[in-house]
Structures are given as structure tokens and as C-alpha cells.
Amino acid sequence: MQRKFLIPVVFALVLGLGWVSSYYTDWLWFSSLDYQGVFWGTLKARFFSGVFYGLFAAVIVGLNLLFVSKFTRQALEAGGTPFEGEFPGEGLLRSPIGYVLIGAVLVLILGNVGSSQWPTVLRYWHGGDFGASDPIFGKEVGFYVFDLPLYQFTIGFLIACVVVSAIASAVIYIAAGGIRIQERIQLMPRPVAHLSVLGGLFLLFSAVNYRLKIYDLLYSQNNVFFGAGYVDVNVQVWVYWFLVAAFVVTGVMVLRNVKTREARPLIMGLGVFLVGAIGLGNIPGAIIQKVAVDPTELEREAPYIKHNIDVTRQAYALDRVVEKPFAASENLTAADIEANPLTIRNVRIWDQPPMAQTFQQVQEIRPYYIFPNVDVGRYTIDGVYSQVMLSGRELDTNRLPAQARNWVNEKLQYTHGYGVAMSPVTTVTPEGLPEFLIKDLPPVSSSKDLEITQPGIYYGERTYGNVIVKTGAEEFDYPRLDGNAFTTYEGTGGVPIGSLIQQLAFAVRMMDVNLLLSTYIKSDSRIMFRRQIVQRAREIAPFLFFDSDPYMVVSEGRLFWILDAYTSTNMYPYSTRMGRSQINYIRNSVKIVVDAYNGAITFYQAEQEPLVNTYAAMFPTLFTPLSEMSADLRTHLRYPVDLFRIQATMYKSYHMQDVQLFYNQEDLWEIPNEIYSDRPQMMEPYYIIVKLPGEDREEFLLMVPFTPAKKDNMIGWLAARCDGENYGDLLVYTLPKEKLIFGPMQLEARIDQQPDISSQLTLWGQRGSEVIRGNLLAIPIESSFLYVEPIYLQARQESEPQQQFGQEGGGQQQQQQQAPQRPNRQSTAIPELKQVIVAYGGQVIMRDTFEDALNDLFGSGAGRTLVQEEGGAQPASGMPQVIQVDQTAVQLANEADRQYQLVRESMQKWDWSKAGDAMKALEKSIQELKTSLEK
């Protein structure tokens, strides 16, 4: 008997220990971030929600099992079972403990389902008003967003409890002989009475469910629009009311069968439900739709289409869009170019994919570093407002060679990335590579405005594994030519793990016994986990939705991540749903800032709207007013691309506010395609610095053009402002319909039709290079458009043989002396910016530089606008100045080039010793060349 219970007891203890360690370590993690209020608030909400619904389940399931157990045990004792001999589980059904176990399991499962609805319960409890009502029933929108989901879940939960009880009871009755399945089903009186109660409750609960379904009509998907239509309002509402009455009457009739105990009322009740739910529920509406609505659909549906248009524009904040005319004239002059210097200096000729590949190849430094994403931002550098691209250099231990992937390396030493790479969007070297504003290890900045005092990246986009800091093993900091730099973490990030209890809890949670055995862990050691920034934010606020593109910011010498978060719902009545999650309301209500070194995370409330106010009431300590964000960080906030893309998608249809126009889809817009590389793709929204018409200064904004549906000419463009007090303003500039303004694909076609351009691109492609046509940008300048498309060349990709490495890092001392390398690279091809295509009016030209193209289009001197003030970064302008040098200088330059090539070849072969020698020789050659030129 003791052995029989030993395994369950051990299993329960293991589960209990895991459960306790999980909650304990979660509490430590939340406390380390000063969000323990959120932890306890969530825990209490889960507990009370689970208890609340668990009690429902216990009452319904428990009473049913109690009733069925009395019959079953009596039947088994009397030998009424239909089976010969003892059947499996008979002993369980004979004992009261068996029913207790069955009930406990069912109640735990159902209670767990109920506990998962804690956000719905809290939203119901704390929800407020939206200040708007639905146009059909006159209910406040808050009722649909906060109240209705709880009502729907609760009635669905009760129905599920009844169905589960009915299935469990029926199975037990069959086992005990109360229901016999032979040539026909035979039910004994007592099971009939029991199932009559369950059937009656099912019908009554279904009546309540169909009462709530009346409100669901506001989310109907019609042929032309979303929301309740003519049939829904005038027919389907009454059909549902009829079903409510029918289910109530039938339910009462089935409940009365408890006394008569006949099978016929049960069958009738089931028949009424099936006929009503499947047949009657849809047939009348379909008939009326076909006969009365379809022949005069616009007339019948007009008021309901208007509701859909108005509400959808409110829900997606499209009612805030300000429409303005844009002449799209062709009178741009060199004087106009010179009058918009910041626009011209910030025209983006570097695309994100080539820049990311270049960062990875040029600034990777070591194979275990990775640039996961290139972000676009803007900074004031030496007094000049500049658009830049930057990316954090994160460390990915998965890229360590297999022989170096041990516990000490992955958990204690290779703990963090280091620094960023940053380049202006317009400048390019004579070799076709980007200039760097921040580069190398340790980070070297070209301006005091960009100096980084704390470059460590312990939290990032591709930083997943847990690490322990402040241990007895020094952390690898960054590589140097003469070895590696090491450091000890000095921040406040992570959770204390110095005590035995903490180590035991994390060892159980992580299933890592080394946390208990390692002698490196000290009393002040800290463990960092949940280091991926989106996962980190989602763990604290799972009810928010997060943008797909967190971006890094250099602010006051430190590195921060900014992540946009959204409040959204799919229950805004009459608003069109979209996307996988079928949302129909969204706001960018929260800005999240994560310190890349300490992991400190702050949720800033950026907007006053009902959903975020509800979450603030649920968790009073979660949000911080946006006004408390540092002034420098606020200058880096930008309108999020995901939200902008959603709004642009909806605006394609919902810019039409006239019902007939909307019904006929006469003015439907599209986001155009472009040619990227050599394939068409939908244009992505892009950030630019421009001076909007009527404004007196340039600003950072996000924009995307529109074309008419199934046409290629441009019809308008949507812009979201990102700077200062204008942040969040949405503008649509509409173009004249009486004249042709070239859209992106028409410009792409014109590029292909230029003999000099197409022949040159073909020639490059035949010489073993891969030609990459970059993003086509439409740049608004004054009242005109300037089109810019960069052309990149890179060597065609060839697979590399896998290289072999010796054993690296056998013990702690050896691991500290040498940084491990990755066995092979993904690619060594570096895209080079070769040409820039610029189009204006009827001209399309391709030149070596953007400056040359401007000079050829608008006259000599137009490209001078690209020249920065003295001390600024060298722009992508003209060829470098030709200087007279003697033969000695030429020889020194050739020697420097030879040493540079030797450095590259050595690094590709992972021969760091040879690369270091060659680098020293290169530095010597450069110094001698500099001395020669000064003479």
C-alpha cells in the first residue's frame, strides 16, 4: 500500500516544488524591477477569478456527481451493470473517493480556464466609458468593450459546466446500467430525471446566450461593410428573441420532466435546440436578404454603411486625419533645393537591408556579435538635425563554436553585447560604403553629442539566455588586438542569487544544478533572465500589444531601447476588424523604455484613452506619466510603423465618407508596389526629414504614398508627424486628379526604359555582381516630388567551406585569455552603393553620387546643399578632390592597400594573430603616407 502511494506523493512534491519556485522567482524578478504591485495584483486576480469560476464548476459538477454516485453505487451493489464480471474502473465508481477525485480533476481544469480570464474580469471591474454609444441599441461603447466579454464568457462557461457534467454523468450511467445501448437506447427513470435537469439548464443558459448574441449582430460581416445591416436590425434581432423565448419555454418543459421521467421531452428539447440554432437562426434572414435587400441594397443598407464608416474612422483615429491639397507641380529649381538644405542632406540613400549587411560585415568585429536590426532615428549632431541609421551590437552565444559552448562561457563570461554602429543616411565613402558616426570597439564617436559612456548591452532584441553577473569569473567585455578586455558588472540589473534558497529556487526553475554547485557564484551575484525586451515587457503587461520593431537610442551617454505598445480591442461596435487578431480599435497609448545595461523598464502612459485608463486603474503603479520621461529621450520618440501601417491600410477605403462612393468602391486607394532588388514588393512606410508645405522648418515624419486601386499613378500621401507638439498629427496630402503624377511603379518602368540605365544594370549583372535596386523614395520638396532610388552592387553569394578550429578554452584561465570564434560565416559579401537614380518631371538620370544627379537635374551648384559645415561628416557629394602626390606617396599608398587586403584576408581565415600584425603594419604605412603628403 505504501508503494502504491509513493509515486503519486513524489510526483505531487515535484510539481509543488516547481510551482513554488516559479512563483517565488517571479516575485523576485518583479521586485527587482519595482513592479511587485503588478505581481501581486495579477496573482490576486488569477486567484479570485479561478476561485469564482471554480465555485461555479464545483456546484454544477459536484452536485451532478453526487446525484449520479448514489444511483451508480446502488446499481453496482445490486449487480445491475451490463458488463460481465468486473469492468475497468468499477472499484473507483463503487467508492465515494472515486467521485471526489473525478470532481476535483474536472473542477481544477474548469477553474484553471476561469483563472485565465483574469484580464477580462479586471477590465469589467475597472472599465469606464468611451464617451460614445452604438447607433442601434444606444449602449455605451464601454459596455461592449468591458462588460459584454465577461457576460459572454460566463454564460459560455456555465454551458460548458453543464455539458461536461452531462457527458460525465452519461458515461457513468452507461457503466452502471442506467443507460443501456442495445438495439435502441433505454433510459431508466432516475437517469432520465437527472438528464432532464441538465437538459433544462442547458436550454435556459442557451436562451441567455442568444440574448447576448443580439449584441453580436453589431459585429456582422456583410458583403460591403462591417456591422449590423438591414436584415440584422429588422429580422435577425427578432429571430434571436424568438429563439430566446423558445429555449426558455422548452427548458421549463424539460425541467418539468423530472416528475414524469419520460425520454420524449429530452428528445424534443434537443430537437428544438438543433432546429433553432442551426436552421431557424439563419434561414429567415437569408430569405429576406435575397428577396427584399439585394434588389435595392444601397437604399436599404445606406444608414448602416454610414454607421460603419463613421465608427471605423473613430476607432482607428482616422477622424483625426487632416486632408490638405498638394499641387505636385514641376517647377522645382536650384533655389528651391538650396532653400531646403536639411531635406536634401537627409535624403535616405541607404536602405535598411544593405546597411544591416554592411554593419554585420564591417562592424561585426567577432563572429559572436550580431546586429539584429537597423533602426532609423534622428539626432542633433554638432547643431545639425540629422537622420541616421543605427544598430546595437548584441552578443549571441549560439554563434560561439561548439567547443566553446560550455556553462562558464555561456552563463558567466559571454554575458553582453557592446556598443552600436551608427551611420548617416546620406553619406558614402569613395568605396561605396557608409560613413560611420559611431564605430569600432570600444565605441568611437565622431561627435561629442554621440559619445557613449556605458556601451554594455545586457538586454536586447536577440538576447535570450539567462546569465549570472558579479561572479568570481570576469566577464568578457570586448576584443582588442592584444587580447580581450574583461569587466565586472557594476549595475543594478538582475535578481539577487546569493543565498542558498535563491540558488535552489532558480536551479529548480531553470533545471540547472550548476547554480547550486558552481563556486563562482558569490553573495552579491545576480541572475539576469527574460532579457529579450519584448518578452520582458509582455511578462509585466500581457494585456498590451507590442510593436514589431523596438529601436535603440543613444541618450546622454547610455543606450536605451524604446518599444511602442498598443491598447486594442476587437469589441468596438460597428468598427471593421482587421488582421490575425481581428482588432477593430487601436491606440499607441504606451511608450516603453528599457535600459540596455540595467534592464530597468518604464511604462510611460502616452495618451488618455479608456483602455489604458482602465489598465492604470487595474495596476496603479504600472504607468508613469509621459511628462516624466527625460527631455532627451522624448526627442527620439517616433510614430510607430505598425500603427501607421494599420491606419494606412484602413484609410485606403475609409477616406471615402460618402455612402454611395464607399458602396461602389469608386475611389478605393492602394499602397503601391516598388521594385526592390529585381522583384516587386509593397512599399513600406519610411521615415524622412522634410519641410511640410506651409511650415517654416524641417521635421521628422513617417510617410507612405497612395495610388488608385489597380492603377499606378500617385493620388496622395499619408504622413505622421513625430516631432515636438505636433507628434501624432496625421496629414493626408491629396494630389490633383486632373493630371498625371507618376507613382512608384511608373517610375520603376521609366527607369527600365532608359537605355543608358538598363544597359548599365544589365552589364553589371553579367560581370558576376548582384545588382540590388534599393527602395524608391518619393521626397516632397516645396510643392513637388523628387524621386530617389539607390543602386547597390555586391558579389554573388557562394558557399564557403567550413573551417576547422582547435580546441579553445579548456579551463577557466584559458577561457579568459581568448575569445572563441564561430566556425564559419554566413556571408562575406558587402553591398556597395554604386549609383543613385534621381527622377524629377520628365527626367530620369543615374549618376555616381546624389550631388552629381542634383547638379545635372537643376544646374551646377544645386548639389552644394549636401555639403555639411566644417567638422561635419563628409556627405555623398562628388568625387574626392584630386591632389598631386609624388612617387613615394604612391608607393606608400600601395603598401597600405596591400596591408589592408592582408588584414581582411586574415580576418576571413580567422587568423587573428596575423591580422593584428598586418593592422600594425597598416597603421605604420598610413602614418608614413600622412607624413609624405604633409611635405
Side-chain angles (χ1 to χ4, degrees):
M1 183 62 70
Q2 292 180 350
R3 289 185 178 180
K4 183 184 294 186
F5 289 103
L6 180 61
I7 295 178
V9 168
V10 171
F11 183 71
L13 286 175
V14 171
L15 286 180
L17 182 60
W19 183 83
V20 170
S21 67
S22 177
Y23 275 96
Y24 174 60
T25 52
D26 274 343
W27 175 72
L28 290 175
W29 185 78
F30 276 89
S31 298
S32 71
L33 295 171
D34 202 23
Y35 286 116
Q36 55 267 44
V38 176
F39 172 81
W40 289 116
T42 302
L43 187 61
K44 287 188 292 185
R46 284 184 184 275
F47 176 76
F48 286 115
S49 181
V51 169
F52 178 75
Y53 286 105
L55 287 175
F56 275 127
V59 170
I60 296 174
V61 175
L63 288 177
N64 281 279
L65 288 177
L66 177 63
F67 188 82
V68 77
S69 69
K70 293 181 179 180
F71 172 86
T72 303
R73 285 189 291 155
Q74 291 175 2
L76 292 176
E77 290 174 2
T81 174
F83 303 100
E84 296 181 2
E86 184 174 343
F87 61 89
E90 182 176 338
L92 193 66
L93 297 180
R94 287 181 180 274
S95 170
I97 297 178
Y99 296 95
V100 172
L101 290 176
I102 294 172
V105 170
L106 293 177
V107 169
L108 283 174
I109 293 173
L110 292 169
N112 189 57
V113 172
S115 71
S116 68
Q117 293 299 308
W118 66 268
T120 305
V121 174
L122 287 185
R123 280 192 291 263
Y124 171 81
W125 193 259
H126 296 281
D129 293 340
F130 276 72
S133 301
D134 82 270
I136 303 301
F137 304 114
K139 290 278 190 181
E140 221 285 332
V141 172
F143 166 78
Y144 296 95
V145 175
F146 300 123
D147 301 349
L148 186 59
L150 182 72
Y151 299 153
Q152 290 175 329
F153 173 78
T154 301
I155 196 63
F157 183 84
L158 292 175
I159 291 174
C161 288
V162 170
V163 171
V164 168
S165 298
I167 293 173
S169 300
V171 170
I172 295 173
Y173 278 132
I174 291 172
I179 300 176
R180 295 179 181 271
I181 304 176
Q182 297 174 349
E183 294 181 359
R184 62 189 182 89
I185 299 177
Q186 297 178 345
L187 288 83
M188 296 182 68
R190 191 162 182 176
V192 168
H194 185 187
L195 294 178
S196 294
V197 173
L198 291 173
L201 289 176
F202 176 80
L203 287 167
L204 292 177
F205 289 155
S206 296
V208 177
N209 186 45
Y210 270 84
R211 171 63 184 93
L212 297 177
K213 273 181 171 289
I214 293 175
Y215 296 121
D216 274 343
L217 294 173
L218 298 178
Y219 309 100
S220 301
Q221 179 62 63
N222 293 283
N223 293 332
V224 179
F225 65 100
F226 184 89
Y230 179 88
V231 169
D232 297 315
V233 174
N234 295 282
V235 179
Q236 205 64 35
V237 168
W238 300 109
V239 170
Y240 283 169
W241 273 119
F242 175 80
L243 291 177
V244 169
F247 290 161
V248 169
V249 171
T250 308
V252 172
M253 179 192 70
V254 173
L255 284 174
R256 294 183 63 183
N257 191 49
V258 172
K259 293 181 179 181
T260 58
R261 302 187 180 188
E262 296 178 358
R264 184 177 298 175
L266 278 175
I267 298 173
M268 288 179 58
L270 179 62
V272 168
F273 176 78
L274 293 177
V275 171
I278 299 175
L280 186 61
N282 300 313
I283 292 175
I287 294 174
I288 299 300
Q289 178 73 34
K290 192 69 175 178
V291 174
V293 177
D294 287 351
T296 56
E297 188 174 38
L298 178 58
E299 179 183 350
R300 299 281 192 185
E301 303 286 20
Y304 309 107
I305 294 175
K306 182 61 175 173
H307 296 329
N308 174 234
I309 294 173
D310 292 343
V311 173
T312 300
R313 288 174 59 87
Q314 294 169 11
Y316 290 94
L318 301 181
D319 56 340
R320 305 178 185 177
V321 175
V322 177
E323 291 194 8
K324 295 184 177 183
F326 189 81
S329 58
E330 297 184 359
N331 56 0
L332 203 61
T333 65
D336 295 324
I337 298 296
E338 294 179 1
N340 292 270
L342 282 183
T343 298
I344 298 301
R345 292 175 187 171
N346 288 284
V347 171
R348 179 168 63 81
I349 59 174
W350 280 103
D351 296 335
Q352 287 168 302
M355 184 67 84
Q357 193 171 344
T358 302
F359 279 2
Q360 195 66 43
Q361 294 300 327
V362 177
Q363 283 293 302
E364 180 185 62
I365 312 297
R366 290 291 189 270
Y368 38 77
Y369 285 126
I370 185 171
F371 293 93
N373 190 28
V374 172
D375 300 312
V376 177
R378 76 282 198 196
Y379 292 77
T380 300
I381 305 172
D382 298 329
V384 180
Y385 196 47
S386 304
Q387 186 175 356
V388 302
M389 285 182 168
L390 73 159
S391 183
R393 185 184 290 103
E394 298 186 41
L395 190 147
D396 183 2
T397 56
N398 291 322
R399 294 159 66 96
L400 293 172
Q403 63 269 28
R405 295 193 62 184
N406 54 61
W407 191 83
V408 172
N409 270 345
E410 293 188 342
K411 304 299 181 183
L412 307 183
Q413 290 196 316
Y414 290 88
T415 57
H416 60 280
Y418 203 83
V420 302
M422 179 187 290
S423 295
V425 296
T426 307
T427 58
V428 60
T429 68
E431 294 81 17
L433 299 177
E435 296 269 1
F436 283 98
L437 297 171
I438 304 177
K439 63 179 180 178
D440 297 342
L441 293 173
V444 177
S445 304
S446 63
S447 168
K448 291 184 178 179
D449 296 324
L450 300 175
E451 288 183 352
I452 301 175
T453 57
Q454 184 48 267
I457 302 177
Y458 285 82
Y459 302 85
E461 288 186 88
R462 289 279 293 274
T463 305
Y464 292 98
N466 58 79
V467 297
I468 303 103
V469 296
K470 295 187 177 182
T471 67
E474 287 189 307
E475 300 172 50
F476 167 74
D477 205 22
Y478 61 89
R480 298 184 303 200
L481 284 176
D482 58 348
N484 292 322
F486 291 88
T487 187
T488 298
Y489 184 71
E490 297 178 351
T492 58
V495 178
I497 197 176
S499 72
L500 180 61
I501 293 177
Q502 292 168 341
Q503 293 172 21
L504 176 62
F506 279 104
V508 172
R509 181 191 182 106
M510 308 291 183
M511 299 183 69
D512 188 353
V513 71
N514 289 313
L515 294 174
L516 287 171
L517 302 179
S518 177
T519 58
Y520 288 120
I521 298 178
K522 302 187 300 183
S523 60
D524 61 342
S525 295
R526 306 176 73 87
I527 184 170
M528 296 180 175
F529 67 108
R530 292 175 182 152
R531 297 197 296 150
Q532 205 279 334
I533 51 179
V534 177
Q535 177 197 17
R536 195 171 184 80
R538 183 176 288 117
E539 194 66 32
I540 297 172
F543 38 79
L544 297 177
F545 292 84
F546 301 95
D547 195 83
S548 61
D549 184 25
Y551 54 100
M552 176 160 276
V553 166
V554 180
S555 177
E556 299 176 340
R558 298 181 67 89
L559 303 180
F560 297 91
W561 295 98
I562 298 180
L563 172 63
D564 288 283
Y566 307 107
T567 49
S568 66
T569 180
N570 63 352
M571 293 298 292
Y572 203 96
Y574 255 114
S575 175
T576 299
R577 290 171 173 167
M578 71 168 298
R580 293 181 180 178
S581 56
Q582 291 289 283
I583 64 167
N584 62 359
Y585 171 93
I586 187 169
R587 292 290 186 274
N588 178 211
S589 302
V590 181
K591 301 285 187 179
I592 302 171
V593 176
V594 181
D595 188 312
Y597 186 73
N598 286 325
I601 180 169
T602 307
F603 293 76
Y604 292 98
Q605 183 173 339
E607 187 173 344
Q608 293 292 334
E609 61 91 27
L611 273 170
V612 75
N613 290 340
T614 297
Y615 295 137
M618 289 161 52
F619 302 104
T621 61
L622 177 58
F623 296 113
T624 300
L626 187 63
S627 58
E628 295 186 18
M629 181 184 290
S630 73
D632 188 67
L633 273 177
R634 291 192 68 173
T635 64
H636 295 289
L637 297 181
R638 68 186 195 187
Y639 202 86
V641 173
D642 284 357
L643 175 60
F644 186 78
R645 189 182 291 113
I646 289 171
Q647 292 176 313
T649 300
M650 299 306 298
Y651 200 78
K652 294 187 302 182
S653 299
Y654 287 93
H655 72 277
M656 297 181 286
Q657 299 184 57
D658 179 79
V659 171
Q660 184 168 353
L661 204 65
F662 185 91
Y663 176 81
N664 294 320
Q665 299 287 280
E666 293 180 17
D667 194 22
L668 186 65
W669 292 357
E670 289 181 349
I671 297 175
N673 285 342
E674 63 173 343
I675 300 296
Y676 191 84
S677 188
D678 59 352
R679 292 177 295 276
Q681 67 175 26
M682 181 181 294
M683 286 192 75
E684 289 291 327
Y686 50 91
Y687 292 100
I688 56 173
I689 290 179
V690 298
K691 182 166 65 177
L692 291 171
E695 300 293 333
D696 56 2
R697 63 180 181 83
E698 286 85 353
E699 59 184 288
F700 189 65
L701 55 84
L702 180 62
M703 70 165 287
V704 71
F706 289 116
T707 60
K710 300 180 181 180
K711 292 185 179 180
D712 292 329
N713 60 290
M714 197 185 305
I715 193 66
W717 53 285
L718 175 66
R721 306 174 77 173
C722 300
D723 286 349
E725 61 184 15
N726 296 319
Y727 178 90
D729 291 350
L730 295 174
L731 303 172
V732 163
Y733 288 90
T734 56
L735 309 184
K737 296 183 178 180
E738 63 272 11
K739 68 177 183 178
L740 174 66
I741 295 95
F742 287 118
M745 286 304 290
Q746 290 174 324
L747 258 298
E748 299 285 12
R750 292 187 63 199
I751 291 172
D752 291 334
Q753 293 167 4
Q754 302 297 313
D756 56 333
I757 296 178
S758 59
S759 61
Q760 183 63 67
L761 298 182
T762 302
L763 180 62
W764 280 328
Q766 292 175 346
R767 290 181 174 177
S769 297
E770 181 181 357
V771 179
I772 302 174
R773 292 172 62 165
N775 293 130
L776 176 64
L777 304 184
I779 310 296
I781 300 178
E782 299 295 336
S783 60
S784 304
F785 279 114
L786 185 70
Y787 299 88
V788 179
E789 180 175 287
I791 302 295
Y792 309 93
L793 291 185
Q794 73 174 18
R796 294 195 183 278
Q797 304 295 311
E798 293 183 4
S799 60
E800 293 186 331
Q802 187 167 351
Q803 301 183 33
Q804 301 297 323
F805 292 84
Q807 181 66 28
E808 193 173 344
Q812 179 194 2
Q813 297 299 322
Q814 189 174 352
Q815 290 162 0
Q816 290 182 344
Q817 294 301 318
Q818 185 174 2
Q821 283 86 37
R822 183 172 49 125
N824 60 337
R825 287 179 179 264
Q826 295 176 336
S827 167
T828 57
I830 302 177
E832 298 178 0
L833 181 59
K834 193 68 174 178
Q835 300 269 280
V836 179
I837 297 174
V838 180
Y840 174 73
Q843 295 179 281
V844 180
I845 61 174
M846 183 172 72
R847 297 294 183 266
D848 290 339
T849 67
F850 185 37
E851 180 184 359
D852 289 345
L854 290 178
N855 287 332
D856 287 354
L857 277 176
F858 300 103
S860 178
R864 289 179 303 178
T865 309
L866 283 166
V867 179
Q868 304 279 348
E869 298 295 329
E870 184 177 355
Q874 177 67 29
S877 60
M879 297 298 292
Q881 182 181 2
V882 178
I883 57 176
Q884 299 296 324
V885 297
D886 58 18
Q887 192 63 28
T888 302
V890 172
Q891 292 175 354
L892 290 171
N894 290 334
E895 177 63 19
D897 180 67
R898 188 182 71 81
Q899 297 293 346
Y900 172 71
Q901 295 299 328
L902 184 59
V903 170
R904 293 188 62 181
E905 292 173 2
S906 300
M907 292 180 69
Q908 290 176 4
K909 295 177 180 178
W910 317 109
D911 190 342
W912 304 110
S913 175
K914 189 174 181 181
D917 294 339
M919 182 65 73
K920 293 177 180 178
L922 175 60
E923 291 174 353
K924 180 180 178 181
S925 297
I926 292 174
Q927 185 61 42
E928 292 176 352
L929 176 60
K930 181 179 179 182
T931 303
S932 175
L933 292 175
E934 288 175 348
K935 295 178 180 180

